[in-house]
Amino acid sequence: MVVTFNVTGGEQGPWAVLRVSGELDLVTSPVLRQRVHDEVAEGRHSLVLDLSEVLFCDSSGVGVLIASRRLIRSCQGRLRLILPAQGAADGSHVNRVLGALGVRRLFDCHPDLDSATGDEPRPLSA
């Protein structure tokens, strides 16, 4: 079974939204890294990464998420992740990986797009 990796962009209000699907690994993570850099270079500093359709994520994928967080913070931006508790094949794989590595708390995580692009202020943890 071949799993295709895809990143599609869109906007919802002031938020740039990147929908990621497939496997986020050593081969595909540079694609996501480049897309995040492109969004920031174009002046979009409020970014939502929709990871609800990511079926697999390895350490290089986690590295891209952490690097994206650092990049967005460096320009006083906001980064939110969509990580549904239930979703792609029984719970978000990325959610479990970030939790297992103890880095999930670094991210502002939301269950769906409406929540992620809502205006309720939430402090960005250190």
Side-chain angles (χ1 to χ4, degrees), residues 5-7 18 20-37 49 51 54 56-68:
F5 179 78
N6 202 1
V7 181
L18 292 180
V20 185
S21 62
E23 297 185 352
L24 186 55
D25 58 21
L26 187 62
V27 174
T28 60
S29 56
V31 175
L32 180 57
R33 172 176 282 133
Q34 188 59 53
R35 287 296 300 272
V36 170
H37 278 267
L49 295 180
L51 305 174
V54 173
F56 173 81
C57 179
D58 69 6
S59 59
S60 56
V62 173
V64 167
L65 297 177
I66 291 173
S68 298

Side-chain angles (χ1 to χ4, degrees), residues 15 45-47 65-66 68-81 103-110 120-126:
W15 294 90
H45 297 161
S46 293
L47 184 62
L65 297 177
I66 291 173
S68 298
R69 176 182 180 270
R70 190 177 304 126
L71 175 66
I72 298 278
R73 283 175 61 105
S74 73
C75 49
Q76 281 73 53
R78 299 178 293 172
L79 174 66
R80 293 179 178 175
L81 306 183
V103 296
R104 188 179 185 282
R105 62 182 171 71
L106 296 178
F107 297 98
D108 187 0
C109 301
H110 295 264
E120 78 289 351
R122 291 180 54 182
L124 190 60
S125 57

